[in-house]
Amino acid sequence: MTRYILHRILQGIPLLFFISIILFVLMMNMGDPIATMGGRTATRPADRERLKRQLGLDKPIVVQYFYWLAGNDWTKIDLDGDGIGETYGERKGVLRGDFGYSLVNRGKPALAVIGERIPNTLILMVAAELVIILGSLLVGVYSALHQYSFTDHFITTLSFIGYSMPIFFIALLSMYIFAVLFKRWGLPYLPTVGMFDPQVGKTAGQVILHMILPVLSISVISLAAYSRYIRSTMLEVMNQDYIRTAKAKGLPRPQIVYIHALKNASLPIVTVIGLDLPLLLGGAVVTERIFAWPGMGRLFLDHVERGDLPVVMGILMLISVAVVVFQILTDIVYAWLDPRIRFG
Amino acid sequence: MTKQPLLDVKNLVTEFIIPEGIVYAVNGISFNVNPGETLAVVGESGCGKSVSMLSVMGLIPTPPGIIVDGEAIYGNKNLFKLAEEEMEQIRGKEIAMVFQDPMTSLNPVLTIGKQITEALICHFDITKNDARDRAISLLDMVGIPEARNRLDDYPHQFSGGMRQRVMIAMALACDPHLLIADEPTTALDVTIQAQIVELVLQLKRQKDMAVIWITHDLGVVAGIADRVNVMYAGYIVEEALVDDLYEDPRHPYTCGLLGSLPRVDHRRERKLCSIPGSPPSLLVKPVGCPFRPRCQYSKEICQFETPKLRETSRGHHVACWIDIQSGEQISGS
Amino acid sequence: MCNFKKYSQLISVIVITLILIPACGPKTSASPKVTTFIFTQEFDTLNPLYSNMWFSQITLELWNGWAWNFNEKNEPVPYLVKEMPSIENGGISADGKTITVKLREDLKWSDGIPLTSEDFVFTYDMTISPKNAVATTYPYDQLASLEAPDKYTIVMKFNEPFAPWQATFWKGILPSHILKPVFENEGSIDNAEWNLKPTVGFGPYIFKEWESGSYTRFVANPNYWGPKPKIDEIFIRFVPDDASQINALEAGDGDLGTFIAYSDIPKLEQEGIKIIPAFSGYNEGMFFLISKERGHPAMLDVRVRQAIAMGIDRESIVKNLLLGKTAVPASYWDALPFYNTPPVQNYPYDPEASNKLLDEAGWVDSNNDGVRDKDGVELVLRYGTTTREVRQDTQAVVQQDLAKIGIKVNLLNYDSDVFFASYDKQGPAATGQLDIMQWSDTTNFPDPDYYYWYCDEIPSAENPQGANWQYLCDEELDSLFKLQATQVNPEERQKTYQKINQIFHDNVYWLGLWQDPDMWALGKRLSNYKISGVTPFFSIGEWEFSSGE
Amino acid sequence: MGILNIMIAESTPNLFVDDLETPPLPLTTLAWKRFKRHRMAMLGGVFLILLVLYSFGGSLFVEEKYANFTNPPIRLNTPSWQHPFGTDTVGRDVLARTIYGGQISMIIGILAVIIETSLGILIGALAGYYGGTIDSLLMRFTEAMLNIPEIFLLIVMAKFFGNKIPNLTLLGRTFSGSVVVIIVIIGLTSWMYLARIVRAEFLSIKENDFILAAKATGTSNTEIIIRHILPNSIAPIIVSATLGIANAILSEAYISFLGLGVQPPTATWGNMLDGANNYIESAPWLWFFPGLLILLTVLSINFLGDGLRDAIDPHSRAI
């Protein structure tokens, strides 16, 4: 197993390398990070030229990529514009864990900028993932066991609708219903923006209250998709011979469903969910934007708008790493669940 | 035979409702099995022999399957009328079942120990350790070497024959009164088949239980069964003591089955029967004799009236309008 | 019986625990007089040298500050200095090349260390050091030298008289006792901790904490050398969009908001929220590409530009899209009446006159496709701006207006980092791809100085950062702009601007759409506030809660 | 094998034969029969036709000029008889804009899928047919693209290509260059799954005897790919392309919603939603109608695709 994991990690490295090149090329042609450094007034020409030099943005893309990857502390760089390098660079490069300094939050390492937002996104993701997994298991197993019943048809239709819902539409609609209309009707209504009410402070209750609508919006699509998937997987498993054997043994239905069937059904489910998990972050971009959630998705949008290469690259690379890690984790969990692989 | 049968099934009708229509899988069959007796049910694939047994066990997937009519008296209960919880008490404990394919009938993600003990724990007030001990002795009994060490193994670590032994151990865990063996040897190698047959016979004698042995292999039947039911297209077409059947098959279908069976030990000359064509679609409710399209003896009556079982000699019943000895239509009914 | 129930209990316990874990967070308690400001953008950095961002700059007034502030009338008021240098008091030399600034003697940093001329010199040194990638070196790069003869005096020497000095110098002072060691150790203050956590300042408030994406907190400075501030704590909350800001203001969660969209004003006023327009010199307007090489030939003709000016119903845009909350500027210097004297007259909305002018100029619809043309060239213009909603809305209205006088415009929108990208980054405006460019800009407000129109600012491969995206070289205008920059005497400068204004107006080099004052919203809780268009929080220490709160 | 299948197959030997062995080519009467059985798919198809009629037929009643006609004095009017869906921030009729927006959204969906499908087939076919280095290189590339959530890729690409394409005039109508950009980037960011499907199909089909026979007779590779393998793997491609349209419409909506998509005044359902969160309370009609139309379209296509999958590609399973 250890060898297998090591092998997978080694496989992931060239993949990440590949991704970083694709992204870097795309990023280089994005906008001019210096254009918006002037704030409300356009950056002055002399400052543009100087900043480009000082931030290393005047270098050819290959050099910039290399600096990003391996740093520039081994070479002298030109700061005063005389064309001769006089001081050693400060960047260590991604390979040594330095993603560079943010071009927007000047003086702040990109990783620190991202790091501040990660917990906020994670809290949203973990909650959403819990809702998704528990909810879809509940719904999927239920409708598999009651195949062709009215509830099953109802759930199937509903999950189709949920699956087709654009996140922003769910978000806008739920904001309108649970905040605007509820308020209008004098019902207790939910907050729509931010992570907590500053007047109250960042208490657990506040955060949970503010999380309800964003989590709902992120969850609906996956919830719908996974319930459908779990339903069909469960149906398939419930038709297996060993389920008939278990029934023939006179086991009670819950034990058959939750131990015999679910354990088998969980194999494909774990794979799908495990591989999708990091992709859920995509949903966070829109959700965080609408609900003003101070997470990584909003950070991405804000910084992509201002061409903050180090931060944007950092976010994308972190996600890519997460995807690779989750692929490996999924394999491990799969092996743990399936004795045929564990011992095979 | 004044003794009350262990299981008495009357007029069982099982159908499946699928988008294309209704599958008439079992069309009103009656049979019984006495304590300690071995009943063989013989027929081609798809003749309804498995479905009828699964109906008795309450294992027909519903939907699409439904038991339309009939009763199955076990003890003094009609199994078809029992609540699910009561049925759970009978399944595994009173009536156990061994299935055809040991490769797919064992849960791949649970240890065999777990799979054997869970039935014990479920049906008896027994601790986990006791259940394990019993599982070990069961595995010993069915001839699995080093049973104690293999308890925590997973099914994929066993060969096919060994798995079927595990299945049998599992079925026998609660000392059932009736064991339904649904083609338990079909998926196995020929050499292993004989071992499994021998094992079941031996255990049957040890435990004094009744066995219903479902098979399409008449060769197996001769060695183990007391009585034989021959099924075709959802009907029982012939019912006889095993020797009677072999000596004197009365249904053209049985005759065909026996004809296709190589029997080197049989001295008697016999008219060679063969069965042309293929079994009918069960989507159409047959009018007349279901076997008519393939029957070389068929007469006009076969087209319109479904033959009922009639007794030809003591304990020997056949559902046919024709007396195949003479080739003449029987008179009366 | 079966052990299934045990499992389900175990599972539910795990689930509940998992749900509860994130629920245990830190608690912050509220203290007495706390006011909440709503900002729609988060600071990039708090170091004044590294940010030109408006929100960061205005916040400077809380914890740092300018050497002199501008009041609600945009007049300079001394803050760190004893008096404003002038020719009369000898602060400005007769030739205008030397400015002497006298500092107050009671200044101190929040950690008790005195604030002296040394900090001013250090600020200057840091700005122009090539080792620091500061946002701008202007105007310090204009200095010939900076000297500090004693602890409370600084002498600024220029090669040429530098007229805009008041509006540009000493916007924020760095604490040399904190940052000098950093600079000496690391070779740069680019990544100093102080930039993001400036716990040492000298304003009425000091920085307390900054939670990324959420808020920044400032508390009263116990070591403040001026009068003690009235409010204990200022909580700046970041919200991502206007809607959140309006919600917060309406709900009373926020006491102050800014950049209020015109369309939201009536709703807020209904809630008893005060709206204050602060003129910061910004005007939303159209810049025209007037270039033989890159532009549309029609734009070279002043009559076409005049036709555009009279063909757009700007009053209607202001009235409907901006709910009449502002006005159409006649001059780029509308917010500086002193430099717009006598005021130039605005072009009226007169499509008839436009049509006549276009006909005269030879642009007629000869092929009857609804668009005027001349010599086979259709009068189709590229009209670009950013993706801001009000700009896109304006574009749609303008497109319709101009269609009526036979001018077709194609609308283009860009993210601001693309739109404002420089020539070498293929910025669409900088590379002359847009005949009409719309954005909002100001001068060195409250100074009228302006450099976009210099001939040597025209971008090219040799001058990739040039700012003259109009590609217009008007020799007379060029020399007038260069002249005013050296006119330390306001009256002389006023006369120069009179000429500049007239040239702008007659040639329609720039067409104002609406005056773009910063709209401030102040909640009912606050009182005794004054807001300046330049240094909005210049009197923040005097702000008070209304009685009863 | 499930018990049900065994039993039914057992008890009715000739009943499910056609289900057990998929016909090599779809759209036989059988497929149509299966499709018809799928009630939701039929419903989806009907709805989709209605939506297409709404968007394309609607233009017979409403002129594009009207959809782009600004009238600031009536901005943000609530729905009324004159403007059943209300008016937007510059007084344009929302109903008319949903009609023309629908056209653009659907055109984007279809054209993007054409790009997506072509790329997916090309890359999948090359990788699957040639194998070896080409395969591993292409699949690494596919994997790399799959590794980044689509929305991030879309945003980055939207910035990359943003406004590099001028406005186009086609059939007397002017389209914002951003429409082309969006089509291209959606195509460029969505081909990966299809490429994998096609590759898998190719891998299995190329081992068949008739391919070996074709090779032996000296048929060129291109011809084998186009004539022999592709037609045999068309079923999953059709299903994937159908569902791809729904995804493309959604992607357009997401990216336009974030303000990086199609630029006004060209309306799409997506960009009509841009800035909608400023009007959640004050003008819900601004976001409700385009949002609903997107939902209905995507839903119909998903139903349709699901039925199509059951009909012509019954072995695959929805995720």
Side-chain angles (χ1 to χ4, degrees), chain A residues 32 35 37-38 40 44-45 47-48 50-52 54 101 104-107 116-117 198 202 204 255 292 294 305, chain C residues 2 23 26 42 44 52 54 130 132-134 136-137 190-191 211-212 235 240 282 417 420 422 424 457 465 518:
Chain A
D32 185 355
M37 272 187 194
R40 277 173 98 194
R44 297 182 76 92
D47 292 329
R48 282 183 185 238
R50 177 182 49 81
L51 281 166
K52 267 182 80 162
Q54 288 176 324
Y101 284 89
V104 170
N105 298 95
R106 301 290 310 285
E116 278 175 352
R117 301 295 191 91
K202 193 176 181 177
Q255 189 165 353
E305 248 168 45
Chain C
C2 293
E42 185 163 4
D44 40 13
N52 276 329
W54 188 75
N132 295 329
V134 298
T136 179
T137 53
D190 281 4
N191 308 323
E211 165 125 1
S212 168
F235 194 94
Y282 278 88
D417 67 330
F420 293 113
S422 57
D424 56 344
E457 284 289 347
Q465 308 299 339
D518 306 335

Side-chain angles (χ1 to χ4, degrees), chain B residues 114 121-122 128, chain C residues 1-3 7:
Chain B
K114 161 88 181 155
I121 292 168
C122 226
K128 228 175 179 169
Chain C
M1 237 189 87
C2 293
N3 49 6
Y7 278 101

Side-chain angles (χ1 to χ4, degrees), chain C residues 262-312:
Chain C
Y262 296 103
S263 52
D264 290 323
I265 292 174
K267 215 163 77 178
L268 289 175
E269 284 180 331
Q270 247 175 23
E271 299 280 332
I273 290 160
K274 189 108 194 278
I275 302 293
I276 299 178
F279 284 89
S280 50
Y282 278 88
N283 292 303
E284 180 85 15
M286 290 174 166
F287 295 80
F288 299 112
L289 177 63
I290 307 171
S291 158
K292 269 202 198 81
E293 292 77 30
R294 296 172 185 268
H296 194 282
M299 295 305 276
L300 297 170
D301 191 328
V302 64
R303 288 171 295 187
V304 174
R305 300 197 298 270
Q306 284 167 345
I308 291 174
M310 291 191 285
I312 301 172

Side-chain angles (χ1 to χ4, degrees), chain B residues 129-148:
Chain B
N129 277 336
D130 291 348
R132 272 179 78 86
D133 288 342
R134 176 143 171 80
I136 292 164
S137 62
L138 278 165
L139 289 178
D140 264 338
M141 191 175 73
V142 296
I144 291 191
E146 292 184 69
R148 184 172 294 274

Side-chain angles (χ1 to χ4, degrees), chain B:
Chain B
M1 288 279 219
T2 46
K3 223 166 75 182
Q4 200 201 344
L6 182 65
L7 173 71
D8 192 5
V9 176
K10 286 178 193 135
N11 192 33
L12 170 65
V13 179
T14 306
E15 293 169 358
F16 292 91
I17 298 165
I18 59 168
E20 284 81 359
I22 298 175
V23 179
Y24 299 96
V26 179
N27 299 313
I29 63 166
S30 304
F31 64 92
N32 56 50
V33 58
N34 298 314
E37 185 191 27
T38 302
L39 172 72
V41 180
V42 185
E44 285 171 297
S45 293
C47 69
K49 52 192 196 301
S50 288
V51 172
S52 55
M53 293 310 145
L54 290 170
S55 302
V56 170
M57 289 289 278
L59 292 178
I60 293 294
T62 314
I66 40 167
I67 293 169
V68 179
D69 197 7
E71 52 184 21
I73 308 296
Y74 179 86
N76 45 14
K77 294 173 210 152
N78 179 358
L79 297 182
F80 296 159
K81 292 266 156 68
L82 288 185
E84 185 61 25
E85 290 77 34
E86 292 173 281
M87 197 61 207
E88 279 165 11
Q89 287 305 309
I90 292 193
R91 281 202 289 258
K93 192 177 179 189
E94 306 281 332
I95 308 176
M97 201 161 171
V98 174
F99 296 97
Q100 180 175 357
D101 189 352
M103 298 300 180
T104 57
S105 294
L106 284 168
N107 195 325
V109 299
L110 300 175
T111 62
I112 58 154
K114 161 88 181 155
Q115 294 190 54
I116 296 172
T117 54
E118 64 179 354
L120 287 168
I121 292 168
C122 226
H123 291 300
F124 302 112
D125 195 7
I126 184 174
T127 66
K128 228 175 179 169
N129 277 336
D130 291 348
R132 272 179 78 86
D133 288 342
R134 176 143 171 80
I136 292 164
S137 62
L138 278 165
L139 289 178
D140 264 338
M141 191 175 73
V142 296
I144 291 191
E146 292 184 69
R148 184 172 294 274
N149 297 334
R150 307 224 56 184
L151 211 54
D152 292 321
D153 282 355
Y154 287 90
H156 70 274
Q157 290 163 287
F158 291 84
S159 69
M162 283 295 154
R163 283 193 222 184
Q164 198 60 296
R165 285 170 194 265
V166 171
M167 282 293 292
I168 292 167
M170 230 161 74
L172 299 182
C174 302
D175 282 330
H177 297 296
L178 172 61
L179 175 73
I180 301 176
D182 187 358
E183 307 206 36
T185 59
T186 310
L188 301 175
D189 289 346
V190 183
T191 47
I192 312 287
Q193 282 184 11
Q195 292 174 14
I196 296 292
V197 170
E198 193 46 49
L199 176 68
V200 174
L201 281 181
Q202 179 205 330
L203 291 171
K204 169 189 136 66
R205 280 192 293 272
Q206 255 177 38
K207 309 236 168 197
D208 191 30
M209 59 183 178
V211 173
I212 298 179
W213 189 287
I214 301 170
T215 181
H216 61 261
D217 184 356
L218 277 169
V220 175
V221 173
I224 58 168
D226 299 319
R227 276 193 303 136
V228 183
N229 283 351
V230 181
M231 284 189 75
Y232 183 79
Y235 295 90
I236 292 179
V237 293
E238 189 162 3
E239 186 187 335
L241 292 173
V242 67
D243 288 341
D244 286 356
L245 191 86
Y246 280 80
E247 290 293 326
D248 185 17
R250 303 305 290 259
H251 197 278
Y253 177 64
T254 317
C255 176
L257 282 181
L258 286 172
S260 51
L261 184 78
R263 283 185 68 94
V264 283
D265 60 320
H266 215 277
R267 287 161 284 120
R268 230 177 72 175
E269 289 294 308
R270 208 182 10 189
K271 209 162 131 193
L272 190 73
C273 316
S274 68
I275 314 173
S278 56
S281 163
L282 297 183
L283 265 175
V284 187
K285 191 155 200 168
V287 180
C289 176
F291 190 62
R292 189 194 57 79
R294 303 170 74 185
C295 184
Q296 51 188 323
Y297 305 97
S298 85
K299 295 265 185 321
E300 201 185 349
I301 186 168
C302 304
Q303 220 169 335
F304 304 109
E305 273 187 70
T306 312
K308 300 249 159 37
L309 277 176
R310 63 187 164 84
E311 193 160 34
T312 56
S313 58
R314 190 180 155 77
H316 194 154
H317 298 79
V318 65
C320 185
W321 294 119
I322 315 293
D323 174 14
I324 57 165
Q325 304 288 350
S326 60
E328 296 297 316
Q329 180 177 341
I330 51 126
S331 49
S333 70

